[in-house]
Amino acid sequence: MSPRSRTNQLLYQAELLVGLPAGDDEHAPVRQMAIEESALALFELALNAMLREVCEHARLETHAWQQLLASDGPAIAELQRLRDLISQPDSWLCWLTVQLERLHSSEGAAKRRVDNPSMIAVASQASFSEQLLTHIAAAKQEIAALRETSQEW
């Protein structure tokens, strides 16, 4: 499988996971958290696959996002573009890296929904699943643009 195909496959699988029903039994909240964290882990794998794909021309030894996207990472135009994106708080990549740090911590990324009747609901607050889907869609757009520039090499 090519790096491009692998990137596409992982993003598609993450979207499929997010769309799975959690059910309505006593395990539904935990099942929903498992679905969300699994989709997030697939999104991380897709990020690594995408980095492998767009940096093929550089013949890098590693494709771990933490190393490649670090400020002292390799001086490659595609990576600099992604580093700039991380610094934008409303970008998909900034959101993703924050969530991945939470996923790898003891805190975890997915949160149990608290149904407290005394709390005022915030209508604009998207669920974690909705945020995942939104950021996967934004990542797909960015990946398409990165593929164009990497093909020029």
Side-chain angles (χ1 to χ4, degrees):
M1 178 178 292
S2 71
R4 180 184 187 128
S5 297
R6 184 63 174 151
T7 302
N8 292 342
Q9 179 188 49
L10 291 165
L11 290 170
Y12 178 64
Q13 289 173 345
E15 289 173 319
L16 286 177
L17 265 178
V18 173
L20 288 176
D24 59 0
D25 60 1
E26 68 272 10
H27 304 290
V30 176
R31 192 177 299 115
Q32 183 63 40
M33 291 171 62
I35 289 169
E36 292 168 351
E37 290 201 347
S38 298
L40 184 60
L42 283 171
F43 200 180
E44 179 178 26
L45 291 173
L47 175 61
N48 285 332
M50 182 267 297
L51 291 170
R52 178 180 308 277
E53 175 187 347
V54 300
C55 295
E56 268 183 317
H57 64 278
R59 302 189 197 317
L60 300 172
E61 292 181 23
T62 183
H63 294 94
W65 66 268
Q66 298 93 329
Q67 294 171 343
L68 294 182
L69 299 179
S71 59
D72 62 346
I76 298 171
E78 291 85 357
L79 295 178
Q80 187 55 50
R81 179 177 173 164
L82 291 169
R83 286 184 200 111
D84 293 343
L85 197 58
I86 286 177
S87 67
Q88 299 172 15
D90 60 339
S91 73
W92 68 270
L93 192 51
C94 180
W95 180 88
L96 178 60
T97 56
V98 167
Q99 298 310 316
L100 291 176
E101 288 171 10
R102 289 178 56 207
L103 179 68
H104 291 283
S105 74
S106 58
E107 178 184 355
K111 298 292 176 217
R112 247 183 227 262
R113 287 182 180 66
V114 178
D115 294 327
N116 186 343
S118 65
M119 292 183 69
I120 299 172
V122 179
S124 64
Q125 181 98 17
S127 71
F128 191 76
S129 293
E130 292 167 335
Q131 291 176 46
L132 262 168
L133 289 174
T134 298
H135 293 297
I136 289 171
K140 286 178 168 182
Q141 290 179 333
E142 186 69 31
I143 290 167
L146 283 168
R147 283 175 175 159
E148 285 181 31
T149 59
S150 99
Q151 285 177 351
E152 292 173 8
W153 287 99

